[in-house]
Amino acid sequence: MPASSISDPAYLRARAMETLFERLEKLCEGAIAIDRGGRVVYVNEKYLAALGLNHTTEAIGRSIEEVIPNSLMRKVAETGEPILLDIMELGGEQLVVTRMPIEDENGTVIGAIGFVLYDHLESLKPLLARVAQLESDLRLARRQLSNARAARFTFADFVGTTPGIARAKELASRAARQSVTVLLTGETGTGKEMLAQAIHNASSRAEKPFVSVNVAAIPDTLIESEFFGTAPGAYTGADRRGREGKFRIADGGTLFLDEIGEMPLQLQAKLLRVLQEREIEPLGSDKITRVDVRVIAATNVDLRKRVSDGAFRADLYYRLNVLSVDLPPLRHCLDDLPDICARLLDDISASGDYVKAKITPSALAALARYDWPGNVRELRNILERALILSDSGRLTGEDVARILPVGTEVRLAPPERPAGTVVPYAEAEAEFEKHTLEQALAASNGQITKAARMLRISRATFYKKLAKFGLASGSAPV
C-alpha cells in the first residue's frame, strides 16, 4: 500500500466507514438495507431466522414492509433523519435497533440501513431502569408544578351521572363559558376544588395560573398581605423586595378561595372592592394595580345564615353568588358509587406502589350502607387504607367492613330455623326479598347495574337492600 494513500483523508474516511460497517455487521444480530424506493437491497445471514426466511434472495427486491411489517426504514430513507435507538417488535420479540440513512458522494440520500443491536432486552435493563427513574422524576416534577400553579382536573374527573352531580356539572360548564364569579357550596369533601379546577380548565383562562387559597388556614395577621401583597419594606420584617399577593400571582387566571365563610370582616370589604373595580392596593403602597382574575369561592357553611348573624357582609355574599353551584353529598349519589370508587382506585394506584385494584359488589354494598359524613374525601381514605391492608388488591365486603367506623359493621344473615317453625308474614316477606336479590345477583354474575335493572329498581335501592339483608358480608357474589 503506497504511503500516500495512508495519509489521504478521503481514503481514511472510506476505510473508516467500511471498518465501521464490518464491525457493526459482526457485532449486531442482523442488518438490512433498502434503496430510496423502500426495496430491500441487502440483508445479512444472521437476520434471516428472525425474519422467517431461508435465503437472502427471498428478501431482495421486495418492499421493506413485506419483510418487516410496520418498519420505519422507509421513513428514514425518505426524510434522511436517523432513528438512532428504538425498540421494534418482530415475531413476538422485542429488538433494539438503529436506523441510518445512506448517502452518495454528493450527500444525497439514496437509501437506509438498519442494524439489530440486541435481540433481547436483558443487557439493557440498567439503562431501562435509569430511563424509568427519569420518567418517574419527571412525573413528580410535573405534579409538583401542577399543584403549585396549574389546574389538573377536568369535568371528566368529576365522576357521576346522578341528578345532583349532573346538575352541578351542567351549571359549572355554563360558568366555564363566562368569566363570572362562581360560588361552590356543599359539605366538606364533596370535590369543590376539583370542580373549580374543571371550570378553569374548560375556560378561556386555562393556560393561565390557577391559584388555590384556603382562607381558614391563613393567620389573620397575614391574610391581607397574602391576598394583596406588600410594598418593599411595608413593615418591620417585611421583605425588602416586596411580596406579590395571590391576586397578582393569579392575574389572567383563576383564584380559588376555599372556606370563604371564614374570611375576616375587615378583609371582606377589600375583596368586594377587587371584585367590583378589578384593582388591588398592596399593603404599605399607595399605588393601584389592575388585575384580571376570575374568583371561584367555596364554602361548606350556610353563608346566608352567617350574613344574618353579622359574620359575613351581605354585599359581598351577593357579589360572590352570581352563579351558585351546589355539590351533593355522597350519600345522595350512591348510584354513582361504582364509578366513583373505580376513579378513586385508579388515582390511588397511580400515586403509589399498589397493585391494580378492583372492588367487588360486596364491598360496594358495604360502602353503600355508610352515611359518609366526609364524603368523597373520606371514601378515598377508606379505599386507600383497605388497599394497603389487602394482599390481593381485590377489595371485598369484609375488607371494607374491617375499617369502616364502629357501628357500621356488615350484618350477617340470620341463622336457619328448625324445621316446622311457623314464620311470621313479615319475616317470610323479608326472606323472599332477600332470595330475590340473591337470584338477581347470580343471574347477573354479580353485576349490580344489571341485577338492579332485572328487578327494575335503582342501583342505590339495590345497594341499600343488600346491606339490609347482610349480603354485603360476602353472601352476595363477588
Side-chain angles (χ1 to χ4, degrees), residues 2-296:
S4 58
S5 299
I6 298 176
S7 59
D8 182 7
Y11 172 78
L12 288 174
R13 182 172 179 273
R15 284 302 303 146
M17 296 303 296
E18 289 176 18
T19 302
L20 175 62
F21 178 80
E22 290 168 0
R23 289 294 175 89
L24 273 174
E25 190 181 32
K26 287 179 182 179
L27 293 173
C28 75
E29 302 298 330
I32 192 168
I34 62 171
D35 62 18
R36 189 74 168 79
R39 292 179 296 274
V40 176
V41 295
Y42 166 78
V43 60
N44 69 355
E45 297 284 344
K46 287 196 288 186
Y47 209 0
L48 293 178
L51 297 174
L53 304 175
N54 296 316
H55 196 273
T56 57
T57 55
E58 296 177 44
I60 303 301
R62 296 170 63 187
S63 72
I64 184 63
E65 291 82 9
E66 290 181 38
V67 179
I68 305 176
N70 303 314
S71 171
L72 297 180
M73 290 281 287
R74 186 185 296 272
K75 179 181 178 182
V76 174
E78 291 176 349
T79 64
E81 295 294 327
I83 302 175
L84 296 179
L85 193 63
D86 192 18
I87 295 177
M88 179 181 75
E89 289 196 8
L90 182 65
E93 298 291 331
Q94 289 188 315
L95 311 178
V96 181
V97 300
T98 185
R99 309 178 185 94
M100 294 174 286
I102 301 173
E103 300 177 354
D104 63 14
E105 60 275 7
N106 298 317
T108 302
V109 177
I110 58 174
I113 188 165
F115 296 97
V116 178
L117 302 179
Y118 299 97
D119 59 357
H120 55 82
L121 301 185
E122 288 297 320
S123 54
L124 290 183
K125 275 190 174 179
L127 175 61
L128 295 176
R130 178 61 178 157
V131 170
Q133 182 61 48
L134 290 173
E135 288 178 344
S136 176
D137 293 344
L138 179 59
R139 284 195 300 271
L140 176 61
R142 283 176 173 169
R143 188 158 60 245
Q144 290 172 339
L145 286 173
S146 123
N147 287 341
R149 293 287 175 261
R152 296 176 294 136
F153 298 110
T154 66
F155 286 120
D157 295 304
F158 197 73
V159 176
T161 57
T162 48
I165 292 180
R167 176 62 175 166
K169 286 203 285 191
E170 195 272 331
L171 287 174
S173 297
R174 289 178 178 270
R177 297 193 290 267
Q178 308 292 333
S179 280
V180 296
T181 303
V182 181
L183 179 63
L184 304 179
T185 62
E187 297 177 9
T188 181
T190 51
K192 294 186 286 293
E193 181 164 358
M194 176 184 284
L195 194 60
Q197 291 191 19
I199 293 171
H200 174 83
N201 275 330
S203 74
S204 59
R205 299 174 180 266
E207 299 302 317
K208 298 296 183 179
F210 177 90
V211 179
S212 176
V213 182
N214 188 314
V215 176
I218 304 175
D220 289 356
T221 54
L222 298 177
I223 196 166
E224 187 170 352
S225 62
E226 281 290 321
F227 276 102
F228 306 113
T230 58
Y235 53 86
T236 303
D239 194 324
R240 294 180 179 179
R241 294 171 298 177
R243 178 191 178 99
E244 285 195 325
K246 301 301 185 186
F247 274 96
R248 286 286 297 133
I249 295 171
D251 194 22
T254 301
L255 180 62
F256 175 63
L257 303 179
D258 198 9
E259 298 193 56
I260 188 68
E262 306 304 318
M263 178 173 281
L265 276 169
Q266 68 269 21
L267 189 65
Q268 292 177 25
K270 294 196 72 171
L271 176 59
L272 179 63
R273 176 176 175 81
V274 175
L275 295 176
Q276 290 176 337
E277 307 298 333
R278 301 291 177 181
E279 58 187 29
I280 62 171
E281 185 177 345
L283 192 64
S285 173
D286 56 0
K287 294 182 179 179
I288 300 298
T289 303
R290 299 285 299 177
V291 290
D292 173 25
V293 175
R294 186 239 277 274
V295 170
I296 300 178

